[in-house]
Amino acid sequence: MGHHRLQPTAVVEKSWTTNEQESRERMSYGSAPGGAQAQGGKVGVLRNQVDEVKDVMRQNIERAMQSKEKLEDLGERAEILSHDTNNFQRSAVKVRNKLWWQNKKLWIILIIIVLIILLIVGASIAIPLGLKYGKKS
């Protein structure tokens, strides 16, 4: 049987690795003295691979926690926006009703003014006619 050396995993080569130099050092464990073979052969290689996987998992957990925080912030913003929307809608209804009543008041005032003018005009026409035709002596 031949001696099989374990190859490093491709997980370390991902572009989102935070420390590329550290990853490259781990990848070169088989060729450099003081690498994994000097630490106990296959056990050292496996340890390095486990460490790599642990680092990747740590990074994934950190990203998941950051995503969770961002989602919580987004949820809070959505609640605030919903509350503000409800307030705006209530205010808009109040303003609409207020303007409707102002419009109605203006029409009522306009109608009253027109009636007063008609009464004045009618009275100014009727009074001279009444005096003219009313005095027959």
Side-chain angles (χ1 to χ4, degrees):
M1 279 203 222
H3 177 68
H4 295 289
R5 190 172 75 192
L6 295 175
Q7 296 298 318
T9 60
V11 174
V12 179
E13 286 297 318
K14 297 269 185 196
S15 62
W16 42 262
T17 301
T18 56
N19 191 344
E20 290 184 24
Q21 180 62 31
E22 181 179 314
S23 297
R24 285 190 188 107
E25 288 174 3
R26 287 185 182 169
M27 294 293 288
S28 65
Y29 59 80
S31 59
Q37 288 179 343
Q39 294 178 5
K42 291 182 181 181
V43 173
V45 170
L46 289 175
R47 250 188 216 137
N48 282 342
Q49 287 179 340
V50 168
D51 288 343
E52 291 171 9
V53 171
K54 283 173 29 180
D55 288 342
V56 170
M57 292 300 291
R58 235 180 253 122
Q59 291 172 2
N60 289 341
I61 290 171
E62 287 175 12
R63 282 194 189 90
M65 295 299 289
Q66 289 172 352
S67 294
K68 179 183 174 191
E69 290 172 5
K70 288 179 183 177
L71 285 174
E72 288 172 352
D73 288 344
L74 187 60
E76 289 174 9
R77 288 181 188 171
E79 286 179 28
I80 291 169
L81 185 59
S82 176
H83 184 264
D84 290 347
T85 301
N86 290 335
N87 288 341
F88 176 77
Q89 187 175 11
R90 276 188 244 117
S91 298
V93 168
K94 287 179 183 178
V95 168
R96 184 182 67 202
N97 290 339
K98 182 180 178 183
L99 290 175
W100 184 83
W101 277 111
Q102 282 182 348
N103 188 28
K104 294 302 173 197
K105 287 177 188 176
L106 287 174
W107 274 103
I108 291 170
I109 291 171
L110 184 63
I111 289 172
I112 291 173
I113 290 172
V114 168
L115 289 175
I116 291 173
I117 292 173
L118 288 175
L119 284 174
I120 292 173
V121 170
S124 66
I125 293 175
I127 290 176
L129 286 177
L131 290 176
K132 185 178 181 183
Y133 294 109
K135 285 188 170 179
K136 290 188 177 181
S137 323

